[in-house]
Amino acid sequence: MFPESSLEHSRIISEYLILSRLVEQLTDEPATSIQAQKWADIFKQALEQTLGETGEPAAEIIKDITRRVLSAVKDPYRHFLVRDNIRLAESMVKEAVDRESSVCGLDLETYMKARRDTIGIRPLFDIGRWIYGLDIADEILFHPDIVKMEERFVDLVALAN
């Protein structure tokens, strides 16, 4: 993907990776579920471009980087990027709640189901489609076979993570 990327694409993917790492750090251990919810809400508001002044440096960084990424990534890719990052933020909160509940003894399928949305790979699919200009019709993108293949790929990444 990246040898063919423009400087703009490389800048945006680099900033997105910094953004996702920052949000992950703010919502992961030792964050409580309340703290994770706070940062997930800030991230979602930044994605929806409704985040006002917070006075918190990390929130301002999230807002600034999100604004730059979204100003570069146009629809139809932006819609999916926002949707998948909101899904990621919500799953980070769920992961924090699960940590606090000390759920033990998860079987592999339950673990995989929980991890599919927390590893953050889906937004990278959206960025990849943007870089390559792949405006894939919904009937193809959401075809059951394509969805199944994507889910299996996500599982491979989750297992390696």
Side-chain angles (χ1 to χ4, degrees), residues 33-63:
S33 60
I34 292 170
Q35 291 167 320
Q37 184 69 62
K38 170 190 166 183
W39 290 108
D41 288 345
I42 286 171
F43 185 39
K44 289 190 296 188
Q45 289 172 28
L47 289 162
E48 295 165 342
Q49 300 179 317
T50 60
L51 182 62
E53 294 298 318
T54 66
E56 294 203 43
E60 294 304 316
I61 291 169
I62 290 169
K63 182 170 70 172

Side-chain angles (χ1 to χ4, degrees), residues 88-144:
L88 174 62
E90 290 168 351
S91 69
M92 289 173 166
V93 174
K94 183 180 180 327
E95 185 176 50
V97 169
D98 289 347
R99 271 195 316 269
E100 288 179 354
S101 68
S102 300
V103 176
C104 295
L106 295 176
D107 61 48
L108 182 60
E109 183 55 35
T110 305
Y111 172 79
M112 292 306 296
K113 185 176 180 183
R115 290 291 292 153
R116 281 183 188 123
D117 292 330
T118 61
I119 61 168
I121 193 73
R122 285 187 173 99
L124 295 177
F125 295 159
D126 304 325
I127 291 174
R129 284 192 292 271
W130 168 66
I131 287 172
Y132 281 114
L134 300 175
D135 187 8
I136 302 170
D138 286 353
E139 56 269 10
I140 296 170
L141 194 58
F142 298 112
H143 186 278

